[in-house]
Amino acid sequence: MSAGINTYKTDLREIFFALFEQFGFGQVAGQAPYDAWGPDEAKAVLSETYRFAREVLGPLNSVGDREGCRVENGSVLTPTGFKDAWKKLYEQGFKTVAVSPEHGGQGAPMMLQVTVEELLSGANTAFNMYPGLSFGAAEVIAECGTKDQQHLFVERMLNGTWGGTMCLTEPHAGSDVGAAKSTARRNADGTYNIRGTKIFISGGDHDMAQNVIHLVLARIDGASPGTKGLSLFIVPKLRINKDGSSGQPNDVSVGSIEHKMGINGSATCVLNFGESDGCLGELVGTVEHVGMSQMFKMMNGARIAVGIQGVALASAAYYNAVDYAKDRKQGSHFTKWKDPTAPRAAIIEHPDVRRMLLDIKSHVEGIRALIIKLAMHLDKARQLAGKDDEAATYHKGQVELLTPLVKSYGSDQSFRLCAQAIQVYGGAGYIQDYPVEQYTRDSKIFSIYEGTNHIQAMDLVGRKLGQAGGMHFQQFMGDVGAFVEAHREHAVYGEAVKLLASAQEALMSSAMTVFSWSQDGGKFPLIPLSANRFLNMMSEVAVGWLLLDAALIADKAQGALSADHPDRAFYEGKKYSALYYARNVLPNVEQAARLIALEDTSPMEITDAAFASV
């Protein structure tokens, strides 16, 4: 792939459909606290973001992949062009679209911000991780910090003056955060001396911002073991002077940067804190030993962001694959395969290529709809708080329930779909002349970081299904059930809706089975053995529902168009996305339910020695 060539593309029409026609952006915008926003403003922001993504970030994607990052004189240098792109990103306000005006933002609904993030991540995932983590760290300080901390850190981190990170993982602990050994020693002036090593720190150091503000989990001397003894600290790379400027180094050093399979433009660092006993930090807020609950505020947002990264790359891979399939000619049309003189056909005419493309299309559209639905619940929960607390509670509950689905299903499918895009290209997709091989490498990390997907599955079955006495899950199932009852006799989609109904029933049956295991100590191992399967089942029900909902909206809209209207083909695409998914994916839910009911424990029964004889 040539240096500096943009390969990013998407379909704004599809994004506009999800925002404005399916999820009612216009009903959320225009009302407090989103008074200044409407569909026209949102379309203008998305159009400008897409221009920036294609002209600035897209050409740097392959550059970052080839160059990677490097350490010189103890500091990380980012790939060519990243520093200038960082400056332009913040000058144009793309990262502060949904930030409160109180912190220098534009106060838009989160529904708009998630679509902006898709465009930025799709164009250059590695680059967008730097400002994404800064945003998350700033949010934690905004919500949990003191007034002085909010004043000092938040706006500077949101406007790109300073960067930010989250520092949880340690070499010996991995996802077992409670085993952290990093320490914090109280000082008489209220600061703490921080000491320890953190690994896999995305954006742990870079040359794009004046300073990097680390949020570090550490255990104050004498605190209890496990997660309950952890506190969260603000630890700047450079100490902060009284006037708010960056001062002398704070004894935070880069041990190394990882050489990875993908996202090579993102500096994944080993960070050493306090090697010379000179690393000073301050507690986030005023309460010790609540670091995990504070960090989870960032992690939940980060998990949603991973789902956005997933759909962003799968979407980019899809549109590149469609273009290639239309242009590449190979073989004759399948109706003339015996005729050696028949003209060569574009591969998009071959049935299996069409199947692969429709598979990618349906999943991308469904996962995007799931993400925007989650964001819609966030926006409505904020709007209704203090006005209709019962409705606000419903929306908050759906956010809790859908977050592990967005993160896990979005990331698992992203890697699969990007790999399938390679298959559309054939051998050409495996070489670096085309972008899909990089998309595939970049997307693998999504199922691993911000809590592996098994952690997401255990969060779903272990916590989210039973939250509020199971009310959130029951409300989700009630929403799906109401849709089924309203449309099961639809002339075009009735049979597909009945497939959704069967999948919903299978999901409910499996939920009851999982609940019964939780009441039987002898069957408890079946829960982690089946958690991933259950999350996938619930995700497929959710996506199948949203695709059918979109198809019904499109069916009605298409009926009002003239025969030559350009949107007719677009709406036809919505129809076939829904029908393909209903016919080819939803039946898997019933099969998965049968497998759960088998209660297979063979992975627990096999001995360690039997796994391999070497």
Side-chain angles (χ1 to χ4, degrees):
M1 185 162 37
S2 301
I5 299 299
N6 172 67
T7 57
Y8 177 63
K9 58 191 66 180
T10 193
D11 183 359
L12 288 182
R13 179 67 183 87
E14 166 60 31
I15 293 173
F16 291 166
F17 173 87
L19 269 180
F20 307 123
E21 296 179 66
Q22 186 169 14
F23 292 105
F25 180 88
Q27 297 171 20
V28 173
Q31 303 177 43
Y34 312 117
D35 312 63
W37 288 89
D40 290 343
E41 289 79 9
K43 288 179 180 179
V45 166
L46 288 170
S47 297
E48 184 60 20
T49 306
Y50 188 39
R51 181 204 60 77
F52 178 82
R54 285 182 56 80
E55 294 179 5
V56 178
L57 297 187
L60 296 176
N61 196 39
S62 60
V63 174
D65 185 54
R66 288 195 311 274
E67 290 187 12
C69 299
R70 65 188 191 277
V71 180
E72 289 188 7
N73 300 319
S75 296
V76 171
L77 302 183
T78 52
T80 302
F82 273 38
K83 193 169 185 177
D84 182 58
W86 174 279
K87 181 173 181 289
K88 292 177 179 176
L89 176 81
Y90 284 103
E91 284 177 346
Q92 296 182 46
F94 297 121
K95 299 301 295 188
T96 58
V97 169
V99 170
S100 167
E102 176 186 359
H103 297 302
Q106 302 165 60
M110 189 57 64
M111 294 168 71
L112 179 58
Q113 185 72 60
V114 298
T115 51
V116 166
E117 291 300 320
E118 179 189 331
L119 300 177
L120 299 175
S121 291
N124 196 325
T125 300
F127 173 86
N128 201 49
M129 290 175 66
Y130 294 98
L133 288 161
S134 300
F135 182 92
E139 279 194 313
V140 173
I141 298 173
E143 187 166 345
C144 304
T146 66
K147 291 293 184 183
D148 287 344
Q149 289 171 344
Q150 293 171 14
H151 176 73
L152 179 59
F153 293 102
V154 174
E155 188 164 341
R156 289 180 174 89
M157 294 172 71
L158 291 174
N159 66 22
T161 303
W162 295 343
T165 73
M166 55 190 291
C167 300
L168 291 81
T169 308
E170 299 188 6
H172 60 284
S175 296
D176 184 9
V177 179
K181 294 181 179 179
S182 295
T183 61
R185 186 180 72 244
R186 297 182 186 89
N187 296 318
D189 63 357
T191 62
Y192 295 75
N193 271 73
I194 308 298
R195 188 176 184 87
T197 296
K198 300 289 184 176
I199 64 170
F200 299 154
I201 308 306
S202 299
D205 191 61
H206 58 85
D207 57 352
M208 297 182 289
Q210 295 175 11
N211 203 346
V212 180
I213 311 302
H214 305 290
L215 293 187
V216 181
L217 277 177
R219 198 178 313 278
I220 296 171
D221 291 346
S224 61
T227 56
K228 293 183 179 179
L230 294 173
S231 298
L232 187 62
F233 299 90
I234 301 172
V235 183
K237 171 187 174 180
L238 305 174
R239 293 182 184 175
I240 310 300
N241 298 320
K242 289 184 179 181
D243 63 358
S245 61
S246 298
Q248 67 186 66
N250 192 28
D251 196 11
V252 180
S253 62
V254 179
S256 63
I257 55 175
E258 304 294 350
H259 301 282
K260 310 183 294 293
M261 173 180 173
I263 55 168
N264 293 316
S266 173
T268 305
C269 298
V270 175
L271 294 180
N272 298 313
F273 297 88
E275 286 185 303
S276 302
D277 201 30
C279 180
L280 296 180
E282 58 182 285
L283 192 70
V284 175
T286 59
V287 181
E288 296 179 342
H289 316 312
V290 294
M292 279 304 294
S293 64
Q294 292 174 333
M295 186 63 88
F296 261 112
K297 297 179 187 303
M298 180 176 184
M299 288 180 67
N300 284 337
R303 288 169 176 176
I304 295 167
V306 172
I308 296 170
Q309 289 179 320
V311 78
L313 283 194
S315 175
Y318 170 68
Y319 288 112
N320 274 278
V322 169
D323 278 0
Y324 182 83
K326 289 178 178 178
D327 183 65
R328 168 69 167 156
K329 289 181 170 59
Q330 182 172 310
S332 60
H333 192 275
F334 69 93
T335 60
K336 300 178 180 179
W337 66 277
K338 288 186 176 182
D339 180 1
T341 66
R344 303 300 86 182
I347 63 172
I348 199 170
E349 297 182 28
H350 298 333
D352 195 54
V353 171
R354 297 174 76 84
R355 176 195 60 80
M356 288 190 287
L357 290 174
L358 187 51
D359 184 56
I360 304 173
K361 172 180 166 65
S362 64
H363 281 82
V364 165
E365 291 175 8
I367 294 167
R368 179 184 291 116
L370 185 64
I371 292 168
I372 295 176
K373 174 179 167 63
L374 186 152
M376 177 267 292
H377 287 301
L378 279 168
D379 289 331
K380 288 191 173 181
R382 184 181 178 197
Q383 279 189 323
L384 294 168
K387 300 174 185 176
D388 185 341
D389 289 336
E390 182 178 349
T393 298
Y394 158 74
H395 290 294
K396 289 177 183 177
Q398 295 307 293
V399 171
E400 290 285 327
L401 192 66
L402 296 179
T403 295
L405 275 62
V406 162
K407 195 280 182 183
S408 186
Y409 192 70
S411 58
D412 278 340
Q413 291 300 314
S414 180
F415 181 64
R416 183 185 74 83
L417 298 171
C418 288
Q420 188 150 290
I422 291 178
Q423 195 71 22
V424 171
Y425 279 78
Y430 193 66
I431 61 177
Q432 294 181 355
D433 291 354
Y434 297 96
V436 288
E437 64 85 27
Q438 182 187 341
Y439 294 153
T440 306
R441 288 186 290 105
D442 286 351
S443 67
K444 183 56 215 156
I445 188 59
F446 301 157
S447 63
I448 299 170
Y449 63 14
E450 306 305 347
T452 68
N453 282 0
H454 183 66
I455 290 174
Q456 308 306 312
M458 288 302 295
D459 179 46
L460 176 66
V461 301
R463 294 180 60 244
K464 301 299 177 60
L465 291 186
Q467 272 187 338
M471 180 178 67
H472 303 326
F473 178 68
Q474 291 167 16
Q475 289 173 327
F476 169 83
M477 295 298 279
D479 290 345
V480 178
F483 176 85
V484 167
E485 290 309 308
H487 303 293
R488 64 164 59 244
E489 302 303 328
H490 191 277
V492 177
Y493 298 102
E495 293 305 311
V497 170
K498 289 170 186 173
L499 291 171
L500 174 62
S502 297
Q504 180 197 18
E505 291 169 9
L507 178 64
M508 179 59 79
S509 172
S510 293
M512 297 305 295
T513 299
V514 171
F515 176 75
S516 72
W517 294 340
S518 70
Q519 306 303 303
D520 183 343
K523 292 187 174 182
F524 183 80
L526 287 164
I527 296 178
L529 284 173
S530 299
N532 295 63
R533 179 171 282 143
F534 184 88
L535 183 147
N536 199 61
M537 293 167 64
M538 186 170 169
S539 299
E540 288 174 344
V541 168
V543 168
W545 165 37
L546 297 179
L547 285 171
L548 284 166
D549 178 59
L552 286 162
I553 294 168
D555 185 69
K556 185 176 181 180
Q558 189 182 47
L561 299 178
S562 62
D564 59 348
H565 196 286
D567 267 354
R568 291 191 70 86
F570 171 79
Y571 288 131
E572 182 183 6
K574 306 302 292 182
K575 171 183 178 179
Y576 287 104
S577 288
L579 291 179
Y580 176 89
Y581 196 95
R583 294 166 178 170
N584 293 275
V585 180
L586 285 179
N588 296 338
V589 178
E590 294 179 80
Q591 173 63 8
R594 286 190 287 270
L595 294 176
I596 284 178
L598 288 177
E599 299 188 346
D600 174 44
T601 56
S602 54
M604 305 307 298
E605 295 164 12
I606 185 174
T607 63
D608 292 356
F611 274 106
S613 58
V614 292

